[in-house]
Amino acid sequence: MKIIWHGHACFEIVSSEGSIVLDPYADGKLPGLTLPTLHADAVVCSHSHADHSASEKVVLSGKAPRFKLTHIPTWHDECQGKKRGANSITVIEAEGLRLAHMGDLG
């Protein structure tokens, strides 16, 4: 398994069971960072803010990944989302490993 950090909260996971990009960010949303176009089997965004939800930056392969994904709903702030909304933690199970991407817990 290969884990590639693309800055901020964006990670690319490449495994023998498929690939996924988590929390791609939009151009101009993070000073000093520009995300290249990425290729994967799946893309997951933890919430709808532009620094975590630029799914258009990922070209999907059209293949279904064979790993297991679980989403755990959480809040983006200490006020049950009243300030910043919802967040989703993503758990990926592949190659006998279990990884958790926390998204943006604020």
Side-chain angles (χ1 to χ4, degrees), residues 75-84 105-106:
W75 303 113
H76 195 339
D77 56 51
E78 72 282 2
C79 304
Q80 294 186 327
K82 290 178 185 162
K83 291 181 188 175
R84 302 177 77 188
L105 293 175

Side-chain angles (χ1 to χ4, degrees), residues 16-91:
S16 62
E17 297 173 22
S19 60
I20 186 169
V21 173
L22 301 146
D23 279 8
Y25 48 87
D27 292 341
K29 292 301 173 183
L30 298 166
L33 292 177
T34 301
L35 187 66
T37 299
L38 301 173
H39 296 81
D41 299 327
V43 61
V44 171
C45 301
S46 63
H47 64 289
S48 62
H49 296 163
D51 60 338
H52 292 264
S53 66
S55 58
E56 69 277 3
K57 297 289 288 189
V58 181
V59 177
L60 295 175
S61 69
K63 296 186 295 185
R66 293 175 287 133
F67 48 74
K68 180 181 175 186
L69 288 179
T70 304
H71 300 284
I72 302 169
T74 60
W75 303 113
H76 195 339
D77 56 51
E78 72 282 2
C79 304
Q80 294 186 327
K82 290 178 185 162
K83 291 181 188 175
R84 302 177 77 188
N87 178 68
S88 180
I89 294 171
T90 300
V91 179

Side-chain angles (χ1 to χ4, degrees), residues 85-100:
N87 178 68
S88 180
I89 294 171
T90 300
V91 179
I92 303 143
E93 295 180 58
E95 296 183 6
L97 299 172
R98 184 177 298 140
L99 306 170

